[in-house]
Amino acid sequence: DAATLQKIAADIGADINTNGLVNRYRLADIKTVQTTQASLEAYHAAFSTIYNKYSTIGTELTPIAAAADTGVIEDPEGLRTIAVAYQSLAQKIAAVRAPIGVAAYHLAIINELDHIGKSIELILALEDGGINAMIGASFYGNYTLALANSSRALKEYLTEYSILDS
């Protein structure tokens, strides 16, 4: 957790920020449209089409777990590719016009995707000293949980408006 990381940093004399990553996307970056049944359907279709093109999303769990056990990242380029995929997915979804009713979920999801990518990049520093990898692992856990919560909230919203089946 953040307190443990701060203690470790103090012990080794490093100054690190464990408060989280800076959001790349702001509400002003989101292109919004009026919330209607049609705009929600179009949003869901666009979001799903983009998301489905990123088959590597989620495949980082096994190499990250293995690295945590061994201290060695077996395929750093593969993991780096996944980190880039998260950030690319965030960028592509950010370009989707979001109905005003889902704009907050949309913003949270794109920032969380971007942060997961950045967290994986930090984890890649495992062999270069470790403290950044520990921070990355902490952030990764926090942002994957936040993404799950934001995704669940968006799903509930879309289900309420019959865009998704319950």
Side-chain angles (χ1 to χ4, degrees):
D1 65 5
T4 303
L5 291 174
Q6 285 292 4
K7 178 167 178 1
I8 292 169
D11 289 347
I12 63 172
D15 183 26
I16 59 172
N17 178 4
T18 58
N19 295 326
L21 299 169
V22 176
N23 288 341
R24 177 178 295 185
Y25 302 97
R26 307 270 183 237
L27 195 52
D29 298 325
I30 305 301
K31 298 170 192 82
T32 58
V33 295
Q34 183 179 11
T35 303
T36 64
Q37 191 71 20
S39 69
L40 288 169
E41 289 171 1
Y43 174 78
H44 178 258
F47 191 109
S48 296
T49 298
I50 294 166
Y51 181 82
N52 289 333
K53 292 179 182 178
Y54 288 84
S55 59
T56 60
I57 298 294
T59 62
E60 73 278 1
L61 298 174
T62 301
I64 288 174
D69 287 343
T70 65
V72 176
I73 298 171
E74 293 296 327
D75 181 15
E77 285 310 310
L79 206 51
R80 189 168 284 107
T81 299
I82 295 168
V84 169
Y86 270 101
Q87 292 173 317
S88 174
L89 176 58
Q91 184 179 22
K92 298 277 194 233
I93 291 176
V96 172
R97 293 191 173 277
I100 293 168
V102 299
Y105 306 128
H106 180 83
L107 180 62
I109 288 169
I110 60 177
N111 276 314
E112 289 153 359
L113 289 167
D114 186 61
H115 292 331
I116 291 170
K118 290 176 185 174
S119 298
I120 294 170
E121 289 174 355
L122 288 169
I123 291 170
L124 284 164
L126 179 64
E127 295 171 350
D128 295 334
I131 190 74
N132 282 334
M134 288 176 29
I135 294 168
S138 175
F139 286 168
Y140 177 82
N142 292 340
Y143 290 120
T144 54
L145 180 59
L147 177 62
N149 291 335
S150 297
S151 297
R152 184 173 26 262
L154 176 61
K155 180 182 177 187
E156 288 171 2
Y157 186 97
L158 294 175
T159 300
E160 183 178 327
Y161 286 89
S162 301
I163 306 303
L164 298 174
D165 296 326
S166 44

